[in-house]
Amino acid sequence: MKKELQPWHEEIVCDVCGRTMLKGERAEPYLAPGGQRMLVCELCTDRASAEGWIRESAHGELPTALRRHEPRRSILSRLRRRADPAAPRGDGLVAAEADGKRPDWADGGAAAGHGPELAQEFATDRQFTRPKDPRHVRAIPTNAQAKVERAVDVFNGSEHTRTVAGISRSLGEPWVNVTPSGEVPSEVAIVVAWELSWYHYRVDLGAEHDPVTLVAKGHELEELDAWAREWNAAAVHDGRVVLGVGSPG
């Protein structure tokens, strides 16, 4: 029996969908990220591109390597390179010390000898080391009278004067004592008292926020210590404390 010869057809399977391609259907070769060669049918080209595969025909058009980003060298390393261009990077200090000479940049004067452009760059780099938000420190007087005057100014700028003014409208003018603390140098006590009520405030001259605090309050003058009843100031109608004015007897 005579055998009929039939043309042989190689089965090609799409590496994306797994489908066996039909006779005459063309497969497009792709390169996977690992460099593996893949065959993709015409229906799966978009999916192959989404997976990061690259057409083999377009692979030769890609750059062989991307340029690496070189980190910016420090100002000292740039000075070493300018001082000795032939020296390898990082060897400027070793070479200078081997000759027994101290490099200019080690004394902080390199910018002056390498042109205005480098001097400006050196000054800019030094500015980055300064703190952005320096802490503001309030100066505390060392003299007792100066502490008293400062504490009165701080108290008069606070909201507590409204309390003093409100009570004064009902009970009259108060007795006032302003005394620096013997334990905490930055604190001053202000005691405002009436016959039926008293308020003890603490003024912290070193505090930047909320320097005036209500420490205690009461109803009987006998509750106060002896020093707190040595009246040396007064309060006017708006609640502000005034030094050098005798309190009502």
Side-chain angles (χ1 to χ4, degrees):
M1 181 177 179
K2 186 178 180 180
K3 294 184 179 180
E4 182 180 357
L5 297 178
Q6 296 181 355
W8 176 77
H9 172 66
E10 181 183 3
E11 292 185 354
I12 301 176
V13 179
C14 176
D15 290 317
V16 177
C17 63
R19 180 178 61 86
T20 301
M21 299 186 189
L22 301 176
K23 182 180 179 181
E25 189 175 2
R26 187 173 62 89
E28 183 74 27
Y30 276 74
L31 294 178
Q36 186 178 2
R37 192 171 187 268
M38 301 292 185
L39 295 178
V40 181
C41 68
E42 295 179 353
L43 301 177
C44 297
T45 55
D46 293 339
R47 293 176 58 184
S49 299
E51 293 293 332
W53 297 3
I54 304 174
R55 289 180 184 268
E56 190 178 47
S57 58
H59 182 260
E61 301 175 1
L62 298 177
T64 56
L66 296 177
R67 182 179 179 182
R68 295 178 57 187
H69 174 70
E70 182 179 0
R72 184 182 180 185
R73 300 193 303 271
S74 65
I75 182 66
L76 298 183
S77 63
R78 292 197 295 273
L79 292 176
R80 290 199 296 267
R81 296 284 293 179
R82 293 199 178 194
D84 188 5
R89 183 180 301 178
D91 294 341
L93 178 60
V94 177
E97 292 181 349
D99 295 338
K101 297 184 297 181
R102 183 176 178 84
D104 294 338
W105 51 264
D107 297 325
H114 291 80
E117 180 181 355
L118 189 58
Q120 177 65 27
E121 188 175 5
F122 183 76
T124 303
D125 288 350
R126 294 190 63 180
Q127 290 177 359
F128 293 152
T129 62
R130 299 176 182 176
K132 296 182 179 180
D133 299 319
R135 181 182 178 185
H136 298 283
V137 180
R138 292 179 177 270
I140 301 175
T142 57
N143 180 271
Q145 183 61 29
K147 290 183 181 181
V148 169
E149 294 175 355
R150 174 75 67 80
V152 169
D153 291 339
V154 173
F155 180 84
N156 290 340
S158 69
E159 297 292 332
H160 297 283
T161 55
R162 296 183 179 182
T163 302
V164 176
I167 299 177
S168 296
R169 283 192 290 268
S170 300
L171 301 181
E173 296 182 13
W175 296 282
V176 181
N177 172 274
V178 184
T179 302
S181 172
E183 299 178 355
V184 183
S186 63
E187 294 182 357
V188 177
I190 296 182
V191 178
V192 184
W194 295 265
E195 188 175 354
L196 301 177
S197 180
W198 58 266
Y199 285 74
H200 178 190
Y201 297 97
R202 180 179 63 233
V203 180
D204 189 349
L205 301 179
E208 185 175 357
H209 303 288
D210 299 329
V212 183
T213 305
L214 177 62
V215 178
K217 60 181 179 178
H219 301 285
E220 301 292 336
L221 294 179
E222 288 73 13
E223 298 171 350
L224 295 172
D225 294 333
W227 65 265
R229 287 180 286 174
E230 296 179 359
W231 319 118
N232 57 3
V236 294
H237 66 281
D238 58 358
R240 291 182 298 111
V241 173
V242 180
L243 292 173
V245 179
S247 296

